[in-house]
Amino acid sequence: MGHLIDILPYDELALLPLQTQQHYAALQQTLVRRLQQRQFYDLFPEDDILDHDGSVLVHARAKYPKHIEFFDAGRIYRERCFLAANRVGKTTCGSFELTAHLTGQYPDWWSGRRFELPVRAWACGRRNETTRDIVQASLLGPIAYEGVKKTLAGTGMIPGNLLGRVTWKRGVEDLTDLVKDKHASGGWSTLGMKSYEQGRGSFEGTSQHVIWLDEECPMDVYGECLIRLMTTGGILMLTFTPLEGLSDTVLQFQLTSDKPQLGMIG
């Protein structure tokens, strides 16, 4: 954030009245916070770039062919799986695409599935704690407070200025239940957080447009998610490392002639 503070040299700033200095400092903090809430716009650029404060190199999207292949496959396949090793950007990939659908702000280069109107979506993890610490954090950033009011920092993948009303899940500290997200059409998308440990029954009910399963899920949960997508023509994304070997979920994505609607990237 140094380049922002250096807009006005320190020696010149020191000559200003105290109230003006305080106003300037507050303005700088606001600018820095807003730049920190724009991760989505920085990822997968045409060329290598530095992030907002010049500390992190963001590589060009041509260096992520598997990620781009995963995005593009959404135009064809209802169900997709990004099966890969740890620390290769699977969660980033899932949160990036989900953010595009929730906000309707697709990058110019996007050739995958598009939704023109607000969507209902779920983001899901193995346990409540991992859903909060990994999935929720990747989309929404850490928990923040405005006085005594609990809110979200908005420094995750979803731009902070597009976050709306938040409701919190009972019985699990700091885990969101539903989050409203501003869509480019003018309406509001709805993001729900779920975990597999809640059981198949918690996945019953409302139809969804997009479901992202981060980490391998039980087959009964997988089947219930497909039912939620039937009336909307929605899409299901899985991103995980196959730690359990050739499980039923992994075998589900071994392409055969009788499974034309599945796509596995790995």
Side-chain angles (χ1 to χ4, degrees):
M1 62 184 178
H3 70 286
L4 288 172
I5 294 176
D6 291 339
I7 290 175
L8 186 62
Y10 177 78
D11 56 346
E12 295 183 20
L13 179 61
L15 296 175
L16 297 175
L18 178 59
Q19 185 176 4
T20 302
Q21 293 182 35
Q22 294 172 338
H23 177 73
Y24 183 81
L27 177 61
Q28 290 297 306
Q29 291 175 356
T30 299
L31 288 173
V32 170
R33 184 172 65 253
R34 289 182 178 179
L35 286 171
Q36 291 172 339
Q37 295 178 339
R38 293 177 58 84
Q39 176 187 172
F40 175 73
Y41 304 112
D42 288 340
L43 290 181
F44 303 106
E46 180 71 24
D47 303 301
D48 291 351
I49 62 171
L50 293 174
D51 72 345
H52 68 275
D53 65 1
S55 64
V56 177
L57 177 64
V58 182
H59 291 290
R61 60 181 174 274
K63 297 180 179 180
Y64 296 96
K66 290 295 184 181
H67 298 67
I68 303 304
E69 182 183 358
F70 182 78
F71 298 147
D72 291 346
R75 186 179 66 258
I76 302 171
Y77 299 106
R78 179 184 64 166
E79 305 164 52
R80 282 173 289 150
C81 178
F82 197 148
L83 196 73
N86 287 316
R87 311 302 298 172
V88 298
K90 302 183 303 299
T91 297
T92 297
C93 187
S95 63
F96 184 88
E97 174 160 351
L98 183 54
T99 295
H101 296 317
L102 287 166
T103 65
Q105 297 192 12
Y106 298 97
D108 294 339
W109 50 265
W110 187 267
S111 59
R113 178 69 183 272
R114 290 175 179 256
F115 291 89
E116 301 301 326
L117 296 174
V119 300
R120 294 184 300 277
W122 286 340
C124 316
R126 189 183 301 274
R127 297 184 300 276
N128 287 327
E129 291 77 13
T130 56
T131 300
R132 177 194 62 200
D133 298 341
I134 300 175
V135 179
Q136 177 177 289
S138 71
L139 288 165
L140 306 172
I143 303 301
Y145 285 88
E146 297 176 354
V148 297
K149 179 184 177 182
K150 182 164 63 176
T151 183
L152 297 163
T155 54
M157 194 65 70
I158 302 174
N161 66 308
L162 301 181
L163 295 178
R165 182 169 57 87
V166 179
T167 58
W168 302 91
K169 197 175 293 290
R170 296 180 179 179
V172 186
E173 184 177 8
D174 294 340
L175 177 61
T176 59
D177 185 20
L178 296 173
V179 180
K180 292 292 185 179
D181 304 283
K182 188 68 173 178
H183 191 271
S185 66
W188 291 89
S189 294
T190 302
L191 169 64
M193 295 289 175
K194 289 188 174 293
S195 69
Y196 312 149
E197 73 174 359
Q198 294 173 305
R200 182 192 63 80
S202 70
F203 288 79
E204 296 175 350
T206 60
S207 61
Q208 303 293 314
H209 298 91
V210 185
I211 298 177
W212 171 33
L213 304 174
D214 190 52
E215 299 304 337
E216 188 172 356
C217 71
M219 282 304 296
D220 60 342
V221 170
Y222 183 86
E224 193 63 39
C225 287
L226 289 180
I227 294 174
R228 298 305 117 221
L229 300 169
M230 289 179 62
T231 59
T232 64
I235 56 175
L236 179 65
M237 304 183 294
L238 292 90
T239 55
F240 67 92
T241 299
L243 299 177
E244 300 177 13
L246 291 176
S247 64
D248 289 341
T249 305
V250 173
L251 291 174
Q252 179 76 7
F253 282 89
Q254 299 300 305
L255 290 180
T256 60
S257 59
D258 65 334
K259 297 178 181 177
Q261 296 302 313
L262 302 176
M264 181 168 73
I265 309 300

